[in-house]
Amino acid sequence: MATEQRLTVGLDVGGTKVLGVVVDAQGYVRHEILAKTVPGAAGVVAGAVTAVETLAARAGVGVGDLDGVGIGLPGMVHAGDGTVEHAVNLGIEERTPLAAMLAEALGGVVPVRVENDLNVAVLGSAHALGPQAQDIGFLALGTGVAAGLLLDGRLRRGARGAAGEIGHLTLVPGGLPCKCGQLGCLEQYASGSALDAAWPSRQGMPAPAELFAAAEAGDPDAVALRDQFAWAVASAVRMLILTCDVQHVVIGGGVSSLGEPLLRVVRGELDREAQSSPFLRTVQLSERVTLTPVGVPVGALGAAIVARGGQP
């Protein structure tokens, strides 16, 4: 059955939740599940086993009928040997053979591959945008800020796995302190946690949603903070395009749930900056920015692509 259907499972494992999908040979998501993350290597493996077995059952196949299982997760992921380290949000510090552990827990009947969560997100975004999308920066705006890079159709991990760590580029010299030990890092201004700190929730809604609603209602403090945030995100877009010349910058992560209001202010800031720079007008920054497609689980989808051997 696997030969005919070529079903793969992709798991997007975050600090609090696991999103899993079954994907067919044409790249369509057949089934989807959401579960809580259990921290620690043993917990992550146990949760992944449950997710894989559940998804296989919903697809009407056995685990051994799957073509592969892919996992995207935060931290330093060594795709070549299937090990993971420094995945702080998952409680995994030491280098851990996660792919081998999961393959064994699944009975050794299906290959397992692991990849960094931003890398699977950029692969999923490329799939959603279509075969012409070969140069993409996936800009994740969440607790921190980082990017996954697909250049000429291939992942760019970097010499030491640090490609895309733009959240720790200095945006404001001498600015706010960052946990990395520097001052004025981009993620202190362009992340969800930055908005949480600057505009604490007053009504129980996520801070970004409350801020944008208050700005839309005309609150001058909210307008000022929203515009600063738009400037910071626009700076991240500019960094990605002017360093890698990606055709698309796809904004994802928790803050992207703001949707069109976020895209509008970021594009507006990029257009404003281009008014005084013929060079920036030429590279057409605002035209290259888009949001993660609504309803597309790009991380889990990308993990399923990795499971099929889509990227080494």
Side-chain angles (χ1 to χ4, degrees), residues 17-148:
K17 66 181 184 296
V18 178
L19 179 60
V21 298
V22 173
V23 175
D24 65 19
Q26 288 72 45
Y28 292 109
V29 174
R30 293 282 192 87
H31 302 278
E32 184 175 328
I33 63 169
L34 185 65
K36 291 183 179 180
T37 299
V38 180
V44 169
V45 169
V49 168
T50 299
V52 171
E53 291 176 342
T54 300
L55 286 165
R58 291 187 182 179
V61 300
V63 171
D65 293 318
L66 298 170
D67 263 25
V69 174
I71 308 178
L73 67 167
M76 186 171 290
V77 179
H78 306 275
D81 63 8
T83 61
V84 179
E85 60 184 322
H86 304 308
V88 179
N89 291 341
L90 300 179
I92 300 175
E93 287 283 3
E94 301 298 323
R95 191 160 180 167
T96 303
L98 200 70
M101 290 171 64
L102 178 55
E104 181 180 2
L106 289 171
V109 295
V110 60
V112 176
R113 296 181 174 88
V114 296
E115 185 56 84
N116 176 266
D117 57 348
L118 293 171
N119 288 343
V120 296
V122 77
L123 288 174
S125 298
H127 181 84
L129 289 171
Q132 78 285 353
Q134 297 293 300
D135 287 274
I136 303 173
F138 179 84
L139 178 61
L141 306 179
T143 303
V145 175

Side-chain angles (χ1 to χ4, degrees), residues 19-299:
L19 179 60
V21 298
V22 173
V23 175
D24 65 19
Q26 288 72 45
Y28 292 109
V29 174
R30 293 282 192 87
H31 302 278
E32 184 175 328
I33 63 169
L34 185 65
K36 291 183 179 180
T37 299
V38 180
V44 169
V45 169
V49 168
T50 299
V52 171
E53 291 176 342
T54 300
L55 286 165
R58 291 187 182 179
V61 300
V63 171
D65 293 318
L66 298 170
D67 263 25
V69 174
I71 308 178
L73 67 167
M76 186 171 290
V77 179
H78 306 275
D81 63 8
T83 61
V84 179
E85 60 184 322
H86 304 308
V88 179
N89 291 341
L90 300 179
I92 300 175
E93 287 283 3
E94 301 298 323
R95 191 160 180 167
T96 303
L98 200 70
M101 290 171 64
L102 178 55
E104 181 180 2
L106 289 171
V109 295
V110 60
V112 176
R113 296 181 174 88
V114 296
E115 185 56 84
N116 176 266
D117 57 348
L118 293 171
N119 288 343
V120 296
V122 77
L123 288 174
S125 298
H127 181 84
L129 289 171
Q132 78 285 353
Q134 297 293 300
D135 287 274
I136 303 173
F138 179 84
L139 178 61
L141 306 179
T143 303
V145 175
L149 296 170
L150 187 72
L151 306 178
D152 293 328
R154 297 192 65 81
L155 290 175
R156 174 58 182 172
R157 299 183 180 91
R160 301 195 177 184
E165 290 291 350
I166 64 171
H168 297 295
L169 292 173
T170 300
L171 180 65
V172 180
L176 296 171
C178 182
K179 291 180 180 179
C180 77
Q182 301 183 99
L183 298 176
C185 286
L186 173 66
E187 74 172 36
Q188 297 305 311
Y189 302 89
S191 65
S193 57
L195 292 184
D196 288 339
W199 193 272
S201 176
R202 298 163 170 83
Q203 302 169 3
M205 295 169 57
E210 287 198 12
L211 170 67
F212 272 64
E216 186 67 23
D219 184 315
D221 293 333
V223 170
L225 181 57
R226 181 201 61 189
D227 290 351
Q228 176 183 280
F229 181 74
W231 165 75
V233 176
S235 297
V237 171
R238 189 171 62 251
M239 291 172 188
L240 287 172
I241 292 177
L242 295 186
T243 53
C244 301
D245 197 25
V246 289
Q247 183 61 36
H248 305 279
V249 174
V250 180
I251 299 178
V255 180
S256 69
S257 63
L258 287 166
E260 287 301 319
L262 172 63
L263 187 61
R264 184 173 61 251
V265 296
V266 172
R267 283 178 170 171
E269 175 62 22
L270 290 168
D271 286 336
R272 186 192 66 78
E273 294 170 357
Q275 290 176 3
S276 59
S277 170
F279 169 65
L280 292 181
R281 287 199 298 274
T282 299
V283 294
Q284 300 176 310
L285 297 175
S286 67
E287 296 178 18
R288 305 196 199 188
V289 185
T290 187
L291 295 171
T292 302
V294 176
V296 178
V298 291

